[in-house]
């Protein structure tokens, strides 16, 4: 059997990238993993209990006394740069699955007012600035503005009160903005506010101006409607769709179920970590009940060939791709709550132990990684631009191997494609990581 499980620990960085301080110079000291370990030891009087992450080699890519001398599993160990602008969950997952984000940029709405206004007027809307500030009022009801909850320039919003407009009309405005927006996401937001939306407009970081959505009452007044419009991507050249077309069952769990595209995938959305882990473990157990003859159309069924071996070897038996996102680590980072983050990470580690026990056939892969950093000690509630770990459990390997630094999260997806016997060149982005034996 050849099953590949990707567990994304959302917001689990291992140290700032060289450009990590471009927006906030203080972010150059970001180190989600190291600061978390230090703070939890001080608060708990003991180190975090992370035996599986330690056994997978986390301490080799992030040297720390609490992770020393733990490596014991047959694993390939490395780290990855993000490979996309900013630090964003949506962009991180799309890149990891093989998307090319080279044309996506970080940009404030104020830098593109003319293009956005022209597109909206061409679509039949009235457009005017709000009190001369760099945001737009569309049809007298919809605010088009910088998203103030993400890093500056990552996302733009189109927001309106549902008592003023039905959500379908808000979404129509957002779609027109999306047609010319260079940023990763345009988000349509409709809700019930405590007053006129212009009264909740404020300045954000980095020269942004937008609606203070939490202050408006949208989140607490009920009836909130949201639609995320991502940058145009060729989802047929991402890992889930590529696997599905090869007859490989695909399961998307947690936030991955919400943000990754694949019509054939089984989706198990969940936020509580216990549910995410339970869905992941159940999905792996389900593959063990499949017939050894493989699934219909499974290119991996049948005798193992020399080409299989060269590809990383999807051998006889059914294959499966499972992608799970653990979101509560990221939520704890946003809340700057080291205690909660540490408790969730220990819960994740226990779940990894169960997955390692189940993924014990030659060709199986457990890939543990992240999508960006979210240092709960950094002094703000935004993501941090950090390297992330790449820890790959390989049951058939004899020992530990080191991976070169991945230039992009897309290399993680390409490596997973190789493990499934797929051609990484069919992805829009990424190159499978070569391995080298550990030095004696």
């Amino acid at each position: 059997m050849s099953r590949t499980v990707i567990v994304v620990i959302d917001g689990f960085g291992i140290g700032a990238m060289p450009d990590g301080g471009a927006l906030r110079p203080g972010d150059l000291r970001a180190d989600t993993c190291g600061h978390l370990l230090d703070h939890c030891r001080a608060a708990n009087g003991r180190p975090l209990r992370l035996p599986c992450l330690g056994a997978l080699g986390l301490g080799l890519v992030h040297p720390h006394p609490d992770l020393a001398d733990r490596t014991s599993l047959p694993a390939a160990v490395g780290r990855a740069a993000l490979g996309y602008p900013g630090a964003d969950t949506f962009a991180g997952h799309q890149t990891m699955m093989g998307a090319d984000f080279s044309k996506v940029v970080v940009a404030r709405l104020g830098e593109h007012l003319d293009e956005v206004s022209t597109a909206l007027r061409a679509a039949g809307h009235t457009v005017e600035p709000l009190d001369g500030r760099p945001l737009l009022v569309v049809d007298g009801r919809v605010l088009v503005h910088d998203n103030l909850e993400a890093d500056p320039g990552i996302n733009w919003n189109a927001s309106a009160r549902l008592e003023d407009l039905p959500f379908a009309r808000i979404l129509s405005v957002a779609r027109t903005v999306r047609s010319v927006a260079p940023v990763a996401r345009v988000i349509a937001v409709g809700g019930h506010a405590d007053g006129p939306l212009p009264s909740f407009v404020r300045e954000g970081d980095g020269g942004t101006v937008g609606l203070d959505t939490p202050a408006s009452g949208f989140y607490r007044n009920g009836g909130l409607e949201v639609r995320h419009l991502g940058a145009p991507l060729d989802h047929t050249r991402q890992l889930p769709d590529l696997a599905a077309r090869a007859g490989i069952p695909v399961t998307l769990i947690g936030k991955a179920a919400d943000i990754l595209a694949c019509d054939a995938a089984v989706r198990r959305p969940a936020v509580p970590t216990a549910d995410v882990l339970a869905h992941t473990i159940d999905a792996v157990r389900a593959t063990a009940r499949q017939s050894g003859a493989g699934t219909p159309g499974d290119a991996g069924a049948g005798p193992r060939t020399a080409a299989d071996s060269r590809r990383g070897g999807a051998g006889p038996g059914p294959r499966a791709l499972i992608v799970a996102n653990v979101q509560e680590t990221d939520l704890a980072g946003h809340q700057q709550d080291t205690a909660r983050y540490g408790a969730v990470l220990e819960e994740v580690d226990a779940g990894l132990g169960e997955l390692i026990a189940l993924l014990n056939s030659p060709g199986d892969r457990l890939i543990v990684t992240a999508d960006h950093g979210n240092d709960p000690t950094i002094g703000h509630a935004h993501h941090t631009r950090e390297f992330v770990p790449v820890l790959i459990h390989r049951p058939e390997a004899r020992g530990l191997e080191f991976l070169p630094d991945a230039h992009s999260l897309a290399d993680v997806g390409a490596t997973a494609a190789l493990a499934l016997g797929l051609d990484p060149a069919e992805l829009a982005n990424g190159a499978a990581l070569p391995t080298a034996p550990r030095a004696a």
Side-chain angles (χ1 to χ4, degrees):
M1 300 182 69
S2 299
R3 302 163 293 179
T4 294
V5 179
I6 302 175
V7 175
V8 182
I9 306 176
D10 205 313
F12 188 57
I14 56 172
M17 291 175 53
D19 61 355
L23 177 62
R24 291 175 293 269
D27 282 9
L28 276 175
R29 66 177 183 85
D31 181 359
T32 302
C33 179
H35 292 156
L36 184 69
L37 291 170
D38 292 340
H39 278 248
C40 287
R41 174 185 273 276
N44 301 336
R46 63 165 178 83
L48 286 178
R49 298 185 178 98
L50 305 175
C52 290
L53 287 168
L56 286 167
L58 178 60
L60 296 175
V61 289
H62 189 287
H64 190 280
D66 291 349
L67 297 171
D69 302 323
R70 292 193 185 180
T71 307
S72 60
L73 290 170
V77 181
R79 66 176 187 170
L82 300 185
Y84 64 88
D88 178 66
T89 294
F90 177 84
H93 281 71
Q94 303 303 328
T95 300
M96 191 184 301
M97 294 299 106
D100 181 2
F101 262 62
S102 62
K103 295 182 180 179
V104 172
V105 300
V106 174
R108 285 73 171 165
L109 177 65
E111 300 164 358
H112 296 271
L113 288 177
D114 289 344
E115 304 99 295
V116 175
S117 298
T118 298
L120 287 165
R121 291 189 179 107
H125 299 286
T126 62
V127 183
E128 57 185 287
L130 178 66
D131 301 328
R133 305 169 86 179
L135 73 163
L136 302 173
V137 181
V138 182
D139 299 335
R141 297 288 187 270
V142 183
L143 290 183
V144 176
H145 59 93
D146 291 311
N147 180 305
L148 302 185
E149 295 170 81
D151 274 339
I154 297 292
N155 305 321
W156 298 348
N157 284 19
S159 305
R161 303 190 308 175
L162 292 173
E163 50 264 50
D164 295 334
L165 285 175
F167 185 68
R169 289 181 61 185
I170 305 170
L171 181 59
S172 177
V173 170
R175 290 190 189 283
T176 300
V177 175
R178 171 72 277 172
S179 70
V180 294
V183 296
R185 271 186 289 180
V186 172
I187 307 173
V189 184
H192 299 287
D194 295 335
L197 293 190
S199 64
F200 300 104
V201 169
R202 66 171 175 84
E203 294 182 359
D205 294 335
T208 56
V209 178
L211 177 69
D212 188 335
T213 306
S216 74
F218 272 11
Y219 293 153
R220 62 176 176 271
N221 290 336
L224 183 70
E225 294 192 57
V226 178
R227 182 74 63 84
H228 294 260
L229 306 178
L233 300 171
D234 184 356
H235 295 298
T236 66
R237 298 190 66 191
Q238 289 186 282
L239 180 60
D241 206 81
L242 183 63
R245 292 200 310 275
I248 300 172
V250 177
T251 304
L252 305 175
I253 298 169
K255 198 169 184 179
D258 297 325
I259 60 178
L260 294 179
C262 179
D263 290 341
V266 173
R267 297 180 185 273
R268 297 286 184 263
V271 175
T273 301
D275 293 347
V276 171
L277 294 171
H279 287 319
T280 307
I281 291 164
D282 287 347
V284 174
R285 285 176 173 155
T287 65
R289 294 191 292 268
Q290 295 178 26
S291 166
T295 56
D298 183 351
R304 183 180 178 87
T305 67
D308 290 330
S309 298
R310 288 193 300 271
R311 288 196 300 259
R319 293 176 289 175
L321 171 65
I322 300 166
V323 183
N325 170 279
V326 177
Q327 185 179 1
E328 286 192 306
T329 44
D330 188 54
L331 296 178
H334 286 306
Q335 294 161 355
Q336 301 174 68
D337 188 339
T338 55
R340 183 187 179 198
Y341 200 131
V344 173
L345 196 60
E346 288 188 331
E347 187 177 5
V348 172
D349 194 275
L352 293 177
E354 292 190 57
L355 288 170
I356 289 167
L358 292 170
L359 295 167
N360 52 19
S361 299
D364 283 348
R365 296 289 183 270
L366 172 62
I367 302 175
V368 181
T369 188
D371 50 352
H372 50 72
N374 197 338
D375 189 333
T377 73
I378 202 69
H380 60 73
H382 294 301
H383 295 157
T384 42
R385 188 165 167 82
E386 299 180 51
F387 290 102
V388 299
V390 181
L391 313 175
I392 307 176
H393 173 55
R394 304 182 307 158
E396 77 280 5
R398 293 185 178 181
L400 179 70
E401 295 183 354
F402 285 111
L403 297 169
D405 282 353
H407 298 295
S408 167
L409 284 171
D411 296 349
V412 176
T415 303
L418 197 67
L420 288 164
L422 303 171
D423 183 359
E426 294 188 41
L427 301 173
N429 192 20
L433 294 167
T435 60
R438 183 182 186 184

